[in-house]
Amino acid sequence: MKKKVLINVFLMLAVMLLAGCSVSKFIPEGSYLLHDVKIESDNKEIKSSQMNLYVRQTSNAKWFSIVKLPMYIYSASGLDSTKWLNRFWRKIGEAPVIYDREAARETREEMEKAVQNMGYMGATVDMDEVSSGNRMKVYYSIHSGQPYVVERLTYDISDSKIAAYLAEDSTHTRLYEGMRFDVNVLDEERQRITQYLQDRGYYRFNKDFITYQADTMLNTHRVGLTMRLLPYRRTKDDAPQPHRQYTLRNVRYVLGVDFAELSEDALRGLDSMSSGGVGLFYKDRPFLRPRVVTDYNHLHPGDLYCSRNVQDTYSSLARLSVLKYSNIRFDEVRLPGDSARVDAYIFLSKNKNKALSFEIEGTNSAGDLGAAASASFIHRNLFKGSETFTLKLRGAYEAVSGLEGYANSNYVEYGVESSINFPEFMFPFLSSDFKRRVRATSEVSVKFNSQVRPEFERTLASAAWSYRWSRRGKATHRFDVLDINYVYMPYISGAFNDYLDRMDQVNPLLRHSYEDLFIVRMGYTYTYNSAGGNAMKAAKSNSYSIRFNIEESGNLLYGFSRLVHKKPKYGDAYQLANIDFAQYVKMDIDFAKNFVIDDRNSLVFHAGLGIACPYGNSRSLPFEKLYFSGGANSVRGWRVRTLGPGSYRGDGNTIDYVNHTGDIKLDLNIEYRTYLFWKLNGAAFIDAGNVWNIRTQGTQTEGVFKFNRFYKQLAVAYGLGIRFDLDFLILRFDGGMKAINPMYTGKDRYPIVSPDFKRDFAFHFAVGYPF
C-alpha cells in the first residue's frame, strides 16, 4: 500500500513537471508568462489587500495557494484545437496569463489615484518588472508620503430647514476637524446625508446637490474644507429654488394588473375598495384580503415621503409567497399649488397558487445504498392571506448490509407531513404596527413517520407550533412553543433484544432509548450571520456565524404530575396516557469563521459544543436527542455513528452503532478551500472531536466525560474534498483518513504514522458546506 502511494505521488509530480515545461509553447515569442504580482506599502494604514481591487491582471490560479495546476492541465493539451482531447484539457484548465504591460501601467495609475484619494495627495506608486526566462514578476511599491489633514471644517447650507435637519443628525457625521482628507469618506458622507434627507420627504434629492470645496495651504498638508448645498434645479436652465419635502397624497395597490403610464385614467375599469386609508384596485375579485395588504404596507397618505418605508414595504411584500413580484412607482402630482405631493402605486403580480412536485433521490448511509421518492403539494394562498399549505408524502428503501442473523436486511421508511405557514405572528392582542415592524412567520405542522428496520420497527408521530422572526439586521430567532412527539416501538427483533440484554451490563440505559415514549418539548434558537442569510455570499466573504439553541422537555408535565401524585403510580417514571414522558434540557452552540485569502482561496474555522442532561422523569435521553460523531459534518475520518463515546471501542457488532452516542459533543474543524477549475472547488481539512456521556453507564466507563482526560480522547482526522458548485447547490465529496484514534492504544492509536487505507479511510457524500 505504501509503495503504491509513493508511486502515485511520484507520477503526479512528474506529470506536473512535464506540464510546466510545456507551458512555453503557449507563450508567444517576445512575450512573458505573468508569474506573480506583489504589492508592497511603506504605510501600515494602506494594506496590500486593499490595493488588490485595482490590479487589472493577475497570475494563474494556484491550488491551495501553492501550485498552478489549472494552468498545467491546460498546458497538457496540444496546439491542435480540433482534437477533442485537447479541447477537453483546455476546458477544465486555465490558459496561461500572458503579461500585458499596458494593463500593468493602468494598474499602477489606478493604484496611485486610490492612495491619493485616501488623503495622501503626494503619494506615488513604483512598478518594477523582474523577468526570468519567459516568466515575469511585477512589483508595485507604494510610497504614501505625508497625509493631508482637515484643519478647518465649515458648512455653507442656505436652506434653513435642511440645515436644521443636519444639525439634529450631527452626531452621525463622518466629517470632523483633524481627520485625514479621504475622498472616499467625503463621498460616503454625501451618500449618508442623501439617504437621511430622502427619509424625511426630500423625494427629488440626490447626492449631486452636495459639493465640497477644499483649500490647501502651501507646504503645510492642511486643508480647509467646506461642504456646500446647491439649490434645486430640475434642469440646468431652470431657476434655482428651495428643496421641497414631498407628502404622499394617495397610496394605491393594484392587484394582478400593470400599466406603463401612471394616471387616474389607467385605473378606470378596475374594481376598487378602501382599507386603512389605502386604495385597492383589481379585476373581478382580489386575490388577497384587504387587511393583509394594509398589514404589510408602510406607505400611508399624508405621511412625508420616506425612502426607508419604501424599502420596508418591498421587504414585507417579499415575504408573501403568493406574490411573484412587487413594483412600487411614484407619480408626482402636477396641479397648481400642489407640486409637493406624490401618488404611490404598488403593483402586485400573483404567483401560481398551487404546485405539485416530485423528487427522486439516492441515499448513502454509512455505505448502505438506497433510494427515496417524495411527492409534494403546495398551496400558497390557502385563506387569501398568503398562507402556505404543504402536504408531502415520502417513501424510502435502503439495502442494509452486514447485519448478522437477519434474513431480511433492508430498511423501509414511509411518512406523511403537513404544515401551514402564516407570514406573520399568529398570536392574539398583537397590534398591526408590531406585526409590520417584525418580520415573522408562524407554523403549525403534523408528521407521521414509520421506519421498518431489520432490528426493529419504529413509528413517530408529532405535532408542532413554532414562530420564526427577525428585525432589521442579520439575526433570526426561532421559538418552538410546543412540539409533541410520540415514539412507538411495535416490534423489536430477537437478535436486537439479545443485543440489548448484553448491553445491560455495559450500558443499562440504552434499553430506555428503544421504548415507547412521549416527548413534549419547548425550544429557542438564535442564529447570526455577519454576511446575512445568503450561504453562498458568506462562503465568499470575510464573515462569521453563531448559532445557539436551547430546549427542554417534560418540566411542566413533571411539575403537574408531582402536584397530583408525590410518587409515580407505576415504575420509576410518571406517565402520560400510560406512556413515560422524557425530561431533559439540551443546549448547543456553533461558531464558524471564514477568512478570505483571495478570490480563489479561503480558510474556515468551526467549533461546536453540545450538552444534554436527562433528569427527573428520565434516566437517559431519547435516542433521537443523543449526540453522535463521525460522518460528513463532523470528524470525517469516521463513518457516521462509529466514533465514541470517549475511547469506547464497541464489540464490533454491526448494530453497535446505537451505542456510539453520548450526552456531550465537541467538534473542532479547520478547512482550506480553493478554486480548482470550471465548477469544481477543492478542500483540505483537519477535524477533531468526539462524544461523551455525563454519567457512568454500567461497565462502559471509558465513555464518561472527565476533565483530566477528555482531550486525550479527541479523535483527529485529515483529508481532501471536492465541491461541485452549481451556484444554487453545492454537491460535496469528502475523503477522510484517521490521524489519531482514541479507541486504540499503542501504534494503532496513531494511524497517521502507519495508515491502513481499508481501516482508516471514510468516504462521504453530502449537499452543502459542512459548516
Side-chain angles (χ1 to χ4, degrees):
M1 175 61 71
K2 291 181 181 178
K3 289 181 179 179
K4 289 182 179 179
V5 172
L6 291 174
I7 291 172
N8 289 334
V9 171
F10 176 77
L11 289 175
M12 184 179 294
L13 292 174
V15 169
M16 289 170 57
L17 181 62
L18 292 173
C21 296
S22 66
V23 174
S24 300
K25 66 177 179 279
F26 292 99
I27 304 175
E29 187 175 352
S31 298
Y32 297 91
L33 172 73
L34 181 58
H35 184 64
D36 204 358
V37 176
K38 295 289 186 182
I39 302 173
E40 299 173 346
S41 173
D42 62 0
N43 191 327
K44 292 182 179 180
E45 293 187 4
I46 305 173
K47 298 179 180 179
S48 299
S49 57
Q50 291 177 279
M51 296 297 108
N52 285 331
L53 182 66
Y54 304 98
V55 176
R56 295 292 181 90
Q57 192 181 36
T58 58
S59 58
N60 289 95
K62 292 182 180 180
W63 281 15
F64 303 106
S65 299
I66 299 174
V67 59
K68 299 178 181 179
L69 198 55
M71 183 186 70
Y72 296 147
I73 293 173
Y74 185 99
S75 302
S77 67
L79 295 175
D80 187 356
S81 60
T82 61
K83 294 183 178 180
W84 72 268
L85 185 60
N86 289 339
R87 292 198 304 271
F88 172 75
W89 290 124
R90 294 186 183 189
K91 185 175 182 179
I92 68 172
E94 183 182 30
V97 177
I98 305 303
Y99 175 59
D100 185 341
R101 181 169 282 110
E102 186 60 32
R105 288 172 179 167
E106 290 178 2
T107 296
R108 188 200 67 77
E109 292 172 0
E110 291 297 319
M111 206 175 288
E112 192 170 85
K113 290 179 184 177
V115 178
Q116 290 172 356
N117 285 339
M118 293 172 66
Y120 301 92
M121 297 170 66
T124 59
V125 177
D126 296 332
M127 183 183 80
D128 294 321
E129 300 172 322
V130 179
S131 61
S132 176
N134 59 359
R135 285 163 167 74
M136 178 72 72
K137 289 185 179 181
V138 184
Y139 295 88
Y140 298 99
S141 301
I142 301 171
H143 307 285
S144 65
Q146 187 175 346
Y148 280 69
V149 175
V150 175
E151 183 181 55
R152 185 181 69 258
L153 177 62
T154 57
Y155 295 87
D156 181 8
I157 301 175
S158 58
D159 190 310
S160 59
K161 183 172 280 190
I162 290 181
Y165 274 127
L166 297 186
E168 290 177 6
D169 191 52
S170 60
T171 56
H172 296 101
T173 183
R174 302 201 62 184
L175 307 183
Y176 57 92
E177 293 180 349
M179 64 174 285
R180 182 163 24 96
F181 183 67
D182 191 328
V183 174
N184 301 308
V185 175
L186 300 186
D187 192 59
E188 289 171 5
E189 179 67 3
R190 294 170 73 203
Q191 295 278 16
R192 190 193 68 80
I193 291 175
T194 299
Q195 181 66 50
Y196 179 75
L197 293 178
Q198 286 181 352
D199 287 343
R200 283 152 183 83
Y202 291 91
Y203 171 66
R204 289 289 182 184
F205 197 90
N206 63 68
K207 70 173 187 176
D208 292 333
F209 290 116
I210 301 174
T211 63
Y212 294 100
Q213 179 178 334
D215 297 324
T216 57
M217 304 172 190
L218 187 63
N219 298 326
T220 62
H221 292 87
R222 296 177 181 178
V223 178
L225 182 65
T226 301
M227 176 192 285
R228 177 172 287 114
L229 175 70
L230 301 180
Y232 177 75
R233 283 188 176 97
R234 186 183 291 269
T235 65
K236 291 182 179 179
D237 298 330
D238 291 344
Q241 54 183 301
H243 294 273
R244 292 189 293 271
Q245 286 180 290
Y246 285 78
T247 302
L248 298 180
R249 186 181 71 163
N250 296 312
V251 177
R252 292 159 170 167
Y253 277 80
V254 185
L255 281 61
V257 183
D258 200 349
F259 40 81
E261 185 178 347
L262 304 179
S263 67
E264 298 283 348
D265 293 338
L267 296 174
R268 291 174 183 170
L270 299 178
D271 295 323
S272 65
M273 67 174 66
S274 179
S275 176
V278 174
L280 277 72
F281 295 83
Y282 54 91
K283 279 187 176 180
D284 299 328
R285 56 181 181 178
F287 60 82
L288 283 171
R289 298 193 311 271
R291 179 64 183 272
V292 174
V293 173
T294 55
D295 280 350
Y296 287 82
N297 174 57
H298 294 258
L299 305 173
H300 304 285
D303 288 354
L304 287 174
Y305 169 84
C306 179
S307 176
R308 180 180 289 277
N309 287 344
V310 176
Q311 296 304 317
D312 286 345
T313 301
Y314 269 122
S315 299
S316 296
L317 294 173
R319 292 161 45 207
L320 302 179
S321 60
V322 71
L323 298 182
K324 184 184 295 184
Y325 66 84
S326 59
N327 184 20
I328 303 176
R329 292 151 66 187
F330 292 92
D331 182 35
E332 188 172 347
V333 178
R334 302 183 186 279
L335 295 174
D338 199 22
S339 60
R341 293 191 184 186
V342 290
D343 289 335
Y345 292 81
I346 301 96
F347 296 92
L348 305 183
S349 178
K350 183 184 177 185
N351 206 344
K352 289 183 178 180
N353 265 6
K354 303 171 185 177
L356 186 64
S357 62
F358 299 90
E359 293 181 9
I360 298 176
E361 57 188 278
T363 61
N364 183 344
S365 301
D368 296 331
L369 301 179
S374 63
S376 300
F377 169 77
I378 184 170
H379 193 304
R380 298 185 179 92
N381 199 24
L382 188 63
F383 305 122
K384 288 193 175 182
S386 195
E387 302 87 359
T388 303
F389 170 77
T390 305
L391 178 66
K392 183 176 182 179
L393 304 175
R394 186 179 187 275
Y397 173 85
E398 188 174 279
V400 181
S401 59
L403 288 180
E404 300 90 348
Y406 292 93
N408 182 25
S409 293
N410 55 54
Y411 167 72
V412 178
E413 176 185 346
Y414 57 89
V416 57
E417 57 183 88
S418 181
S419 66
I420 300 178
N421 187 290
F422 302 88
E424 62 178 347
F425 263 119
M426 294 298 294
F427 199 82
F429 315 118
L430 294 180
S431 66
S432 296
D433 182 62
F434 176 82
K435 292 181 180 181
R436 212 173 0 250
R437 285 187 287 109
V438 179
R439 303 168 187 173
T441 59
S442 309
E443 185 174 270
V444 178
S445 63
V446 292
K447 298 178 183 179
F448 175 84
N449 181 269
S450 179
Q451 303 170 1
V452 181
R453 291 190 58 89
E455 312 98 309
F456 54 79
E457 295 180 13
R458 180 178 8 224
T459 299
L460 298 96
S462 67
W465 172 22
S466 63
Y467 295 109
R468 184 190 299 269
W469 73 93
S470 66
R471 302 192 70 173
R472 294 189 184 97
K474 301 164 184 178
T476 60
H477 310 262
R478 179 187 173 96
F479 179 39
D480 295 308
V481 180
L482 186 63
D483 188 357
I484 302 175
N485 294 265
Y486 172 49
V487 182
Y488 175 54
M489 303 288 296
Y491 167 77
I492 294 180
S493 69
F496 193 70
N497 247 326
D498 292 341
Y499 171 77
L500 292 177
D501 290 338
R502 295 197 306 273
M503 286 296 104
D504 282 341
Q505 297 298 319
V506 178
N507 183 1
L509 301 182
L510 181 64
R511 183 180 295 275
H512 293 283
S513 298
Y514 294 91
E515 296 176 344
D516 297 347
L517 187 66
F518 264 118
I519 305 173
V520 183
R521 59 174 287 274
M522 295 176 61
Y524 168 76
T525 303
Y526 171 83
T527 306
Y528 178 86
N529 194 318
S530 63
N534 191 325
M536 301 295 182
K537 179 182 176 183
K540 297 177 181 179
S541 61
N542 284 311
S543 61
Y544 67 93
S545 64
I546 299 172
R547 180 183 176 276
F548 172 77
N549 175 74
I550 186 168
E551 65 178 80
E552 66 82 26
S553 174
N555 289 319
L556 291 177
L557 287 176
Y558 185 79
F560 180 76
S561 300
R562 286 293 300 268
L563 287 175
V564 178
H565 302 286
K566 291 186 177 181
K567 292 184 179 181
K569 284 187 175 181
Y570 308 102
D572 299 327
Y574 290 103
Q575 295 183 335
L576 176 64
N578 296 323
I579 299 172
D580 292 357
F581 59 85
Q583 187 177 9
Y584 64 86
V585 63
K586 184 177 182 180
M587 183 179 70
D588 307 88
I589 186 167
D590 277 272
F591 174 80
K593 173 66 177 176
N594 187 50
F595 300 91
V596 174
I597 300 171
D598 54 43
D599 60 341
R600 299 182 178 111
N601 299 276
S602 61
L603 187 67
V604 187
F605 170 76
H606 168 259
L609 174 65
I611 301 175
C613 180
Y615 59 96
N617 214 52
S618 296
R619 298 171 60 189
S620 67
L621 288 170
F623 181 75
E624 289 78 11
K625 298 298 178 180
L626 288 165
Y627 294 108
F628 59 87
S629 195
N633 300 321
S634 184
V635 188
R636 284 167 279 186
W638 278 258
R639 290 180 292 114
V640 64
R641 296 184 184 274
T642 58
L643 173 60
S647 57
Y648 174 71
R649 184 173 176 179
D651 61 3
N653 194 308
T654 52
I655 59 176
D656 195 47
Y657 68 89
V658 298
N659 223 21
H660 290 287
T661 55
D663 307 316
I664 300 173
K665 181 179 181 178
L666 177 63
D667 272 326
L668 300 170
N669 315 84
I670 188 166
E671 184 169 285
Y672 190 104
R673 297 171 182 171
T674 188
Y675 170 74
L676 300 181
F677 51 81
W678 189 42
K679 293 184 177 294
L680 293 181
N681 297 321
F685 57 83
I686 300 175
D687 301 328
N690 208 329
V691 294
W692 294 268
N693 290 315
I694 290 178
R695 304 183 183 93
T696 301
Q697 300 179 352
T699 60
Q700 191 201 102
T701 59
E702 63 270 39
V704 179
F705 181 86
K706 300 287 186 182
F707 278 103
N708 60 353
R709 71 178 184 187
F710 83 92
Y711 57 91
K712 301 177 183 177
Q713 297 174 328
L714 286 174
V716 181
Y718 62 96
L720 298 172
I722 296 290
R723 286 90 170 91
F724 192 47
D725 189 349
L726 300 176
D727 295 329
F728 62 92
L729 185 69
I730 302 289
L731 300 179
R732 176 162 56 94
F733 304 88
D734 286 332
M737 287 287 291
K738 297 178 178 65
I740 300 177
N741 191 341
M743 297 187 292
Y744 289 87
T745 58
K747 68 175 184 178
D748 290 338
R749 179 179 174 83
Y750 302 100
I752 190 173
V753 178
S754 54
D756 182 331
F757 188 84
K758 183 177 180 180
R759 178 196 65 187
D760 299 324
F761 178 78
F763 174 77
H764 306 283
F765 167 70
V767 176
Y769 289 109
F771 37 81

